Amino acid sequence: MEYQKMSFKIPQESTTYEADSAFIVSTIENIIKSAIERGNNKIILNTNLRFGLPMENINKIAAPIIEAWAFETFLAVSEDMNNAYRLVNVESRPRLDMADVLLQFKKGNTVITANVDSKATAEDIESSGKGPNITSFSRIRSAYVEDPDFMFIILSIKHKVYSERNANTLLMDGIMEIVKYNAYDLKFISETDINYNSALGTGQIQIKDIHYVDYQSRSTWEFCQLLDKKYLNTSRRTIEDWYREAVKNKWIKV
C-alpha cells in the first residue's frame, strides 16, 4: 500500500481564493484594530472578591471570555448594514464546531464565508500561545475535500489582565484588555509552523508559536498533501491508519 498510488479526490479551489483570503484576513484585522483604537477593547469582570481575581490562574478562564468579546465585536459591526467592512452576517458556532464564529463578507457580487477560530493568549506570559490545538486532522482534511474554497481563519488575540478598585463598590474589578492581534489563513501557514499531535483521536493540528507565523502560498490540494505528510511522519500512524480515515471520509475513490 503506497500513498502515491492512491486514487485521490483532488479539490480545485477557485482562481480568486488567494485574493479572497487576503481580503478576509486584512478586514478581520482592521475590525479588531478599530475596536482597540476606539477603546472598545476592555472586558470588565465585577466580583465580590475583596482582593480581585486570582491573577495567577486568570488565563484558565480568559479564552471563552475573549472569544465572546470577539463575537460581539463582529456582531456590532454587522448590525450596521452600511458598515465599511462589508460584513453582512455573523453566526456563533456550536461548542464542538471547528470554528468559534462564522463571518460572511460581501466582495463584489459574491459573498465570502470565513470560519474563524479565536485563540486568546496572555501578553505577559512568555509560553502563552505556544503549540495551541487548532482542529483535528480528519476534520480539517475532510473540510477541504468537501469544499475546496473552505476558509479557516485563526484569529490570535493577545490580552493583558489587571485589577482596579471600583469607586462605587470598593471591590476590585478584573480587567481584560485586548492589546494585540493577528489573523492567519490556516491553508497558507508555512510547513515549519504546523505541527501534528497524535495524542487525541485522529490527531490535532497545532501551530508551533501563534505569535510568529510565516506564510507560504499553496493550493488546497497541496495543503491536503501537507496534512497527510504530517500525519504519516509520526511513529504512531501508519499508511493503514491513513487509508482507514481516507475511506471513511471519502478522500479517495474506492
Side-chain angles (χ1 to χ4, degrees), residues 25 27 96 144 231:
V25 167
T27 303
L96 297 178
Y144 287 110
Y231 180 91

Side-chain angles (χ1 to χ4, degrees), residues 2-12 141 145 221 224-226 228-229 232 239 242-243 246 250-254:
E2 296 182 34
Y3 178 82
Q4 292 79 6
K5 294 182 178 179
M6 299 292 177
S7 181
F8 292 98
K9 292 182 179 178
I10 299 178
Q12 298 285 341
R141 176 69 163 83
V145 174
W221 172 230
C224 288
Q225 291 175 291
L226 172 60
D228 292 342
K229 177 182 175 182
L232 289 167
I239 188 64
W242 181 91
Y243 182 77
K250 301 178 181 179
W251 306 336
I252 57 177
K253 304 168 190 174
V254 292

Side-chain angles (χ1 to χ4, degrees), residues 6 12 29 39 43 93 116 123 128 131 134 144 151 177-178 218:
M6 299 292 177
Q12 298 285 341
E29 289 187 338
I43 304 164
R93 306 306 298 154
V116 180
E123 166 80 356
S128 183
I134 303 302
Y144 287 110
M151 193 177 294
E177 182 177 357
I178 286 75
R218 58 170 68 92

Side-chain angles (χ1 to χ4, degrees), residues 200-249:
L200 298 173
T202 62
Q204 287 284 316
I205 301 302
Q206 298 178 326
I207 305 300
K208 286 184 180 178
D209 187 340
I210 206 167
H211 305 311
Y212 301 98
V213 173
D214 290 326
Y215 249 30
Q216 181 179 344
S217 179
R218 58 170 68 92
S219 68
T220 300
W221 172 230
E222 288 170 334
F223 189 58
C224 288
Q225 291 175 291
L226 172 60
L227 293 174
D228 292 342
K229 177 182 175 182
K230 295 286 183 179
Y231 180 91
L232 289 167
N233 279 357
T234 178
S235 61
R236 295 184 61 177
R237 303 298 183 193
T238 65
I239 188 64
E240 288 77 19
D241 294 328
W242 181 91
Y243 182 77
R244 183 175 59 253
E245 289 299 316
V247 171
K248 176 183 175 182
N249 295 292

Side-chain angles (χ1 to χ4, degrees), residues 170-187:
L170 300 182
L171 297 173
M172 299 296 287
D173 287 342
I175 299 173
M176 291 183 181
E177 182 177 357
I178 286 75
V179 293
K180 294 180 182 177
Y181 56 89
N182 287 102
Y184 313 102
D185 186 332
L186 178 63
K187 195 172 89 172

Side-chain angles (χ1 to χ4, degrees), residues 79-96:
E79 288 173 342
D80 175 4
M81 297 184 67
N82 297 311
N83 71 80
Y85 306 102
R86 291 173 278 177
L87 179 58
V88 295
N89 185 43
V90 177
E91 296 178 19
S92 179
R93 306 306 298 154
R95 187 174 65 88
L96 297 178

